[in-house]
């Protein structure tokens, strides 16, 4: 379990450094998807559902909302 946590932390750190050359819309999409996936997995785990399904649904919804928010920040 500890190895999974370290691998996840490393992946998140690498993903954060890769976002420096992205537009606000791209950053919003990525961060929204990540936050949505984490929230979806957490909610599914608490309610007794499938964590993978919750993460997938949360990621899609979060990515969509993040994309819209990033688009608004760019002024399109």
């Amino acid at each position: 379990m500890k190895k999974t946590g370290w691998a996840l932390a490393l992946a998140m750190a690498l993903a954060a450094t890769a976002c420096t050359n992205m537009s606000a819309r791209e950053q919003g999409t990525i961060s929204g998807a990540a936050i949505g996936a984490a929230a979806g997995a957490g909610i599914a785990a608490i309610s007794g559902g499938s964590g993978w399904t919750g993460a997938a649904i949360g990621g899609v919804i979060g990515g969509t909302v993040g994309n819209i928010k990033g688009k608004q920040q760019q002024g399109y």
Side-chain angles (χ1 to χ4, degrees), residues 11-75:
M12 295 284 283
L14 289 173
T17 59
C19 291
T20 57
N21 294 327
M22 291 182 167
S23 68
R25 188 174 189 178
E26 292 167 336
Q27 287 179 354
T29 302
I30 296 292
S31 61
I35 293 168
I43 292 169
I46 290 171
S47 66
S50 169
W52 290 108
T53 304
I57 293 169
V60 169
I61 293 170
T64 302
V65 171
N67 185 292
I68 293 168
K69 181 68 175 168
K71 183 179 178 182
Q72 290 175 347
Q73 287 179 347
Q74 284 183 326

